[in-house]
Amino acid sequence: MNAFVAELLGTFLLVLFGNGVVANVVLSRTKGNNAGWIVITAGWGLAVFIGAFCSKEYSGAHLNPAITVAALAAGQMGVMKAIAFIVSQMIG
């Protein structure tokens, strides 16, 4: 798998599951309505785990442009690769 596709997929899964748990707790007529903040934090924790688990092997699981910029500033990746990572994260 391409590293850029892995970043896109990992970020997509992170946002999908994270926002999904918030929607489940906040929206009326759902099974998790008013479940509370602990359900949201657990759901977001699992969302981060799923996104990172799916993309770690191929791209390092940055999943966040801030991590990519930090890796660029530390000299761990090139400018073009960092731009491609950030674009794939924004699409994801």
Side-chain angles (χ1 to χ4, degrees):
M1 179 184 290
N2 191 347
F4 311 114
V5 174
E7 280 294 310
L8 190 143
L9 181 63
T11 306
F12 172 75
L13 290 172
L14 167 71
V15 172
L16 177 73
F17 288 115
N19 289 343
V21 73
V22 171
N24 185 36
V25 171
V26 173
L27 294 175
S28 61
R29 295 184 300 186
T30 60
K31 299 237 182 228
N33 187 16
N34 292 326
W37 64 270
I38 194 73
V39 174
I40 292 175
T41 55
W44 269 103
L46 287 172
V48 171
F49 172 75
I50 291 168
F53 183 79
C54 291
S55 62
K56 172 72 172 141
E57 182 178 343
Y58 303 102
S59 68
H62 291 194
L63 303 181
N64 186 335
I67 303 299
T68 304
V69 170
L72 176 65
Q76 296 175 350
M77 65 184 344
V79 173
M80 294 310 293
K81 187 175 181 180
I83 291 171
F85 266 43
I86 291 171
V87 168
S88 65
Q89 290 161 359
M90 290 298 171
I91 293 170

